[in-house]
Amino acid sequence: MIELQKLTKIFGDNTAVGSLSLTVAAGEFFTVLGPNGAGKTTTLKLVAGLLRPTAGSVSVGGIDMAEKPGRAKALMSYIPDIPYVYEKLTGREFLHFTGELYRLDRSVYRAQSEELLERFLMRDDGDKLLETYSHGMRQKIVISSALLSDPRLIIIDEPMVGLDPRSIRIVKDLLRERALSGTTVLMSTHTLALAEEISDRLGIIHRGKLIALGGVDDIKQAARRSEGLEDVFLRMTAEK
């Protein structure tokens, strides 16, 4: 579903992503880990077509992002770490607005909107203005809007920020359900326990380079450690 070939992004004197090659299969739940400034968010934005690479290529669903960005982006939904919303709309209006942007059938997006509001325990909050929402409530609305179009690829950056434990469980269940139904999930997180629990494979990025790739057990074995993922991660990304 995703193929990165020697993907590179340079900002001035800083190489945020350096010659990254990676393939993520359809239906795979792939998580990108790394310390602050490692290049995780930049990588996700490159895959989403929000940034142009300095070198290398991004292909989504067999479509080259540089050659046909519109067709590639039509396959995906991108959920940033900060939930941007139109504050003068209600939560329900925002979902309906998103459905119109995707040119979905009105009966379809309205039914899906109600289902998602119910899933997130927000049906009673759906007619409140988004400007009154907490960060976590905004995050749930943005995640819901990204799921309306039933995308083949979901790109999600730090999905659990601001969410309470019940909402975290709901998001985890939703993402795993989508992956099991064939949707590819590309996630970035600092929460190692979350990555270990729900990911099929992990990639650890440090200083713009992919330094480890595989399942949790594969990474531990490659590091020749019997420790938990947190200890292995900290050792692999320790500053020299």
Side-chain angles (χ1 to χ4, degrees):
M1 184 61 187
I2 303 171
E3 186 172 356
L4 311 181
Q5 292 288 340
K6 297 183 178 179
L7 189 63
T8 301
K9 182 62 180 179
I10 300 173
F11 297 100
D13 296 328
N14 177 45
T15 300
V17 179
S19 195
L20 174 61
S21 294
L22 175 68
T23 299
V24 180
E28 184 174 14
F29 199 123
F30 189 92
T31 299
V32 180
L33 300 173
N36 291 332
K40 303 185 301 300
T41 294
T42 300
T43 299
L44 266 58
K45 287 184 175 180
L46 288 166
V47 176
L50 297 175
L51 292 175
R52 292 183 178 180
T54 305
S57 64
V58 175
S59 176
V60 177
I63 302 170
D64 188 284
M65 179 65 74
E67 295 180 0
K68 299 177 180 178
R71 286 185 58 192
K73 293 176 184 179
L75 302 178
M76 67 178 74
S77 287
Y78 173 72
I79 305 168
D81 56 341
I82 299 175
Y84 295 103
V85 295
Y86 294 105
E87 294 193 336
K88 295 303 180 181
L89 295 179
T90 66
R92 189 170 273 109
E93 287 172 342
F94 184 80
L95 293 176
H96 294 176
F97 170 70
T98 303
E100 292 287 345
L101 287 179
Y102 282 121
R103 298 181 181 177
L104 302 176
D105 182 89
R106 178 172 293 183
S107 63
V108 171
Y109 73 66
R110 285 179 178 269
Q112 290 179 335
S113 296
E114 294 308 309
E115 180 182 333
L116 287 162
L117 286 171
E118 182 72 28
R119 188 75 180 266
F120 276 114
L121 309 177
M122 292 184 63
R123 177 164 283 180
D124 292 340
D125 298 308
D127 292 323
K128 297 177 182 177
L129 290 176
L130 289 168
E131 66 182 4
T132 68
Y133 278 24
S134 66
H135 179 98
M137 293 171 69
R138 294 183 183 208
Q139 183 79 336
K140 288 185 281 188
I141 284 292
V142 168
I143 292 172
S144 297
S145 69
L147 298 177
L148 281 179
S149 65
D150 194 21
R152 290 176 56 190
L153 168 63
I154 298 171
I155 302 172
I156 185 164
D157 194 2
E158 292 293 346
M160 308 309 181
V161 175
L163 296 183
D164 58 66
R166 184 179 296 276
S167 297
I168 289 173
R169 178 60 181 270
I170 293 170
V171 172
K172 287 192 296 185
D173 289 346
L174 275 170
L175 293 177
R176 281 307 308 172
E177 287 168 14
R178 294 297 176 117
L180 289 171
S181 68
T183 300
T184 304
V185 179
L186 177 63
M187 179 179 76
S188 169
T189 183
H190 283 116
T191 309
L192 300 181
L194 170 66
E196 188 169 2
E197 178 184 354
I198 65 176
S199 305
D200 296 316
R201 281 197 305 156
L202 311 171
I204 298 178
I205 295 179
H206 186 43
R207 296 176 180 171
K209 299 285 187 179
L210 186 64
I211 62 172
L213 177 65
V216 174
D217 292 337
D218 298 327
I219 291 175
K220 289 181 183 179
Q221 187 173 10
R224 296 180 181 179
R225 302 285 181 185
S226 59
E227 304 162 311
L229 179 61
E230 180 180 22
D231 292 321
V232 171
F233 172 83
L234 291 173
R235 290 179 185 274
M236 295 182 75
T237 59
E239 297 295 333
K240 303 298 183 181

